[in-house]
Amino acid sequence: MPVNITMPALSPTMEEGTLAKWLVKEGDEIKSGMIIAEIETDKATMEVEAVDEGKVAKIMVPEGTEGVKVNAVIAVLLEEGESAADVKAPAAAPAKAEVAPAPKPSTSPAASSSPPTPAKAGVQSAVAVLDPGLRRDERQSGGRVMASPLAKRIAANKGIDLKALKGSGPHGRIIRRDVEKAKPGASQPAAGGAAVPLSADGLILPQVLDDRVYAPDTYEMKPLDGMRKTVAKRLTQSFMQVPHFPLNVDIQLDNLLESRAAINAAAPKDVKISVNDLLIKACALALMDEPDCNASYTDKGIAYHKQANISVAVAVEGGLITPVIFKAEGKGLAEISEEMKDLAARARDRKLKPQEYMGGTFSISNLGMFGIKSFASIINPPEGMILSVGVGEKRPVVDENGNVVVRTVMTVTLTCDHRVIGGAEGAKWLAAFKRYVETPEAMLL
Amino acid sequence: MKTVAIIGLLAVAACAHTPVYSAAQVEAIMQPLAYEQQIVRKCDEAATIADADNFLASLRGDAAEQAAEILSFITLEVAEGEAEYVCTVELYYSTQERADDARALWATLKGNS
């Protein structure tokens, strides 16, 4: 009996797609596992793999056809001993007209004694859709590995090379029990030879470079050290789990620069206040003015911190670390400056103690010295906000009298955790910070 | 006539051995078994694990209707879920654990009947 090859569903919600390309023609003999067509949706192009073997009797839907309904017959396959005469008339009917649409989602239990069959179940008996994210890694010398989604996930977690396994499922498909029986010794080396571990929390999936895309001799692989792993893990967690939103504002620096010059001129020789020291102090005071912003989200509630512990991002070789100026609101500029110099030096030597880079309530990251105009940092959990400071540069500004004047201006971006900080709170904090920077005398009050 | 009577007696006898489950017990058994069946079908082997169907077949009346509704709902729920999120290792193994618990409960209730 001829086998209908039907339009597969690329996702449970897909109703139709484009048959982009046929990779076989009528009369071709096909075998299980052969890629026979490519189909497209608005999200992806995927390959269609034959599950059955036989001869292509008729292609029902020409390539390039758009709007082909899921489950529509796109081709008919003859099995051994069958001829074209066995292809019955209904199979040759227009694809769109003969196929029922995929089942619609339902929000309530259906009162039926026989559970409906998922749309994919029937489709998968005729063709299989290849996951484009996996197919590159799973092909080997023109062959390919067929495995269930679950088997692929388990193999990835255990670091098992699917190519080393023999599948016990239909048509040699690798299924869960095959992977569970496999010894971890069959691990798949990453490009460059280093095994790629999966983080314990499962947030960072193994990343490998496909040898056929990035030849191993075209790059140098440096193993991850503890700091790089920690930075990768924490920032991935933060970016995935914390709802970030940025606010930015331009701030004039002329008064601050004048004040800094005056302070340094009057200070003892070993004291030299930097712009960053002044910004740390301004951040701390603004947090005291707007205490709703000095906050951390927790499962038990929002923790409002009573002191301004300012984490300052320091780039070090192989990563980033954020030493903390504790209780910065109560410290003088000279004290902040001295402490910051000591912390930054020890950070670069990786000699900070954990208590010196943990416990911050707010972060500041300054890339102005690299000429960066503006940027938005990733929040350093559990802190609620981080300030990104751009370069101070001469810009034309319209003053209060309507005249265009040249001022030194920097753009700062405040990234907020929307679970604890609203737009209005963030804006108030930025206004307070701007006031301190543009009127630095206020920091002395 | 005699044949009908024998079949009727057999049916009554079969019904007499059918445990009577409360709605809570039906849910406690059917839900995990249905998830196990549908997740395995979607994510691993196309072959259906039969326990959910067997449990359903062992029920009568309201309990059967309730179990069928649960199975139907879960079938749709799993079918329309993105494989990326449904076919996770963690979900699979936790589903297995709950299904094992459900099987143990089912066995206990059968033993008590």
Side-chain angles (χ1 to χ4, degrees):
Chain A
M1 184 178 171
V3 175
N4 287 341
I5 298 176
T6 55
M7 182 71 168
L10 298 185
S11 72
T13 54
M14 175 181 164
E15 293 187 358
E16 61 182 31
T18 298
L19 204 161
K21 191 175 182 182
W22 276 110
L23 302 173
V24 293
K25 58 184 186 300
E26 290 179 5
D28 281 358
E29 293 283 348
I30 63 173
K31 291 186 175 175
S32 170
M34 264 181 76
I35 310 300
I36 58 170
E38 290 177 358
I39 52 177
E40 287 177 5
T41 66
D42 55 342
K43 294 174 183 169
T45 298
M46 298 179 92
E47 294 173 341
V48 179
E49 178 183 296
V51 171
D52 295 295
E53 57 186 34
K55 182 192 276 187
V56 180
K58 188 156 185 66
I59 287 177
M60 310 297 293
V61 178
E63 66 181 29
T65 305
E66 297 178 357
V68 183
K69 299 285 184 191
V70 167
N71 285 351
V73 178
I74 56 176
V76 180
L77 201 62
L78 292 176
E79 293 183 313
E80 197 174 343
E82 295 175 339
S83 69
D86 294 319
V87 179
K88 291 177 183 172
K96 284 187 184 181
E98 70 176 40
V99 175
K104 297 282 185 190
S106 168
T107 53
S108 61
S112 166
S113 59
S114 57
T117 305
K120 279 181 151 182
V123 175
Q124 285 169 340
S125 66
V127 293
V129 181
L130 308 185
D131 182 341
L134 289 159
R135 66 193 188 203
R136 282 183 177 174
D137 291 337
E138 291 173 2
R139 285 182 189 154
Q140 183 183 30
S141 304
R144 57 167 276 104
V145 176
M146 288 200 301
S148 74
L150 188 61
K152 289 172 186 171
R153 292 282 183 96
I154 295 172
N157 276 10
K158 288 183 164 182
I160 291 172
D161 183 3
L162 285 172
K163 291 193 284 284
L165 303 185
K166 189 176 179 183
S168 63
H171 304 286
R173 192 171 186 244
I174 296 168
I175 57 177
R176 173 190 53 82
R177 63 170 174 261
D178 302 321
V179 182
E180 286 180 337
K181 280 192 293 186
K183 291 178 182 174
S187 61
Q188 181 176 11
V196 180
L198 176 70
S199 68
D201 56 17
L203 281 175
I204 302 175
L205 298 173
Q207 303 288 311
V208 294
L209 296 184
D210 188 323
D211 284 357
R212 288 157 300 161
V213 180
Y214 302 95
D217 60 351
T218 62
Y219 58 88
E220 180 190 356
M221 183 72 79
K222 287 188 176 177
L224 299 170
D225 64 9
M227 176 178 283
R228 183 58 74 186
K229 284 180 188 170
T230 302
V231 169
K233 182 180 168 186
R234 284 180 57 83
L235 293 186
T236 303
Q237 282 176 329
S238 173
F239 206 62
M240 289 173 69
Q241 296 176 358
V242 177
H244 289 60
F245 76 92
L247 299 169
N248 54 53
V249 69
D250 289 342
I251 298 178
Q252 293 186 28
L253 285 176
D254 301 278
N255 288 345
L256 184 113
L257 295 175
E258 282 178 22
S259 296
R260 174 182 172 241
I263 291 167
N264 283 336
K269 279 187 180 177
D270 58 339
V271 174
K272 190 178 179 190
I273 307 298
S274 69
V275 170
N276 217 38
D277 299 331
L278 288 156
L279 296 181
I280 291 168
K281 180 73 177 178
C283 284
L285 294 175
L287 286 172
M288 292 297 104
D289 289 356
E290 300 296 336
D292 287 352
C293 293
N294 199 20
S296 295
Y297 179 87
T298 78
D299 289 337
K300 292 179 181 173
I302 298 172
Y304 292 100
H305 303 289
K306 295 175 183 173
Q307 53 196 45
N309 301 337
I310 310 295
S311 304
V312 183
V314 174
V316 299
E317 191 176 338
L320 177 78
I321 196 161
T322 52
V324 181
I325 305 286
F326 289 91
K327 299 182 182 177
E329 75 279 9
K331 290 181 175 169
L333 289 169
E335 190 178 359
I336 289 174
S337 179
E338 185 181 356
E339 204 172 312
M340 196 61 235
K341 284 190 186 83
D342 172 54
L343 289 169
R346 287 192 292 118
R348 292 190 182 99
D349 292 338
R350 298 199 178 194
K351 288 180 178 170
L352 288 180
K353 299 169 191 159
Q355 61 267 31
E356 291 175 313
Y357 56 81
M358 295 168 72
T361 64
F362 177 95
S363 279
I364 179 169
S365 178
N366 189 346
L367 292 180
M369 66 287 279
F370 298 109
I372 299 300
K373 187 171 182 178
S374 73
F375 64 106
S377 300
I378 296 173
I379 287 170
N380 182 21
E383 298 169 9
M385 303 198 302
I386 182 168
L387 186 74
S388 309
V389 179
V391 64
E393 59 186 0
K394 299 283 188 190
R395 294 186 207 168
V397 172
V398 178
D399 70 9
E400 57 276 13
N401 299 318
N403 299 318
V404 177
V405 295
V406 175
R407 294 279 189 265
T408 305
V409 179
M410 70 174 181
T411 300
V412 297
T413 304
L414 181 70
T415 308
C416 307
D417 177 348
H418 219 330
R419 296 172 302 177
V420 288
I421 315 286
E425 286 84 29
K428 284 182 192 171
W429 185 90
L430 268 179
F433 176 74
K434 181 180 168 91
R435 189 172 63 250
Y436 283 116
V437 174
E438 293 191 342
T439 318
E441 298 82 1
M443 287 194 249
L444 304 173
L445 296 175
Chain B
M1 189 67 184
K2 192 176 177 183
T3 307
V4 171
I6 291 169
I7 291 172
L9 283 171
L10 286 172
V12 169
C15 288
H17 290 290
T18 302
V20 178
Y21 300 105
S22 69
Q25 288 168 337
V26 169
E27 187 175 345
I29 296 171
M30 192 67 208
Q31 198 175 63
L33 295 181
Y35 274 117
E36 178 193 47
Q37 180 188 71
Q38 295 306 314
I39 285 176
V40 168
R41 177 187 282 176
K42 185 183 184 83
C43 306
D44 195 37
E45 295 175 88
T48 301
I49 290 181
D51 284 346
D53 294 332
N54 291 342
F55 179 64
L56 179 61
S58 75
L59 301 174
R60 300 286 181 273
D62 290 347
E65 194 173 323
Q66 183 198 355
E69 280 185 21
I70 292 170
L71 181 56
S72 175
F73 179 70
I74 290 171
T75 299
L76 275 178
E77 185 186 354
V78 174
E80 69 194 27
E82 295 279 357
E84 181 184 353
Y85 303 113
V86 174
C87 299
T88 68
V89 179
E90 296 78 8
L91 186 59
Y92 172 77
Y93 285 119
S94 64
T95 302
Q96 288 294 306
E97 281 179 23
R98 284 196 287 271
D100 288 343
D101 291 344
R103 273 186 281 271
L105 175 61
W106 183 18
T108 304
L109 293 174
K110 274 196 291 191
N112 290 342
S113 65

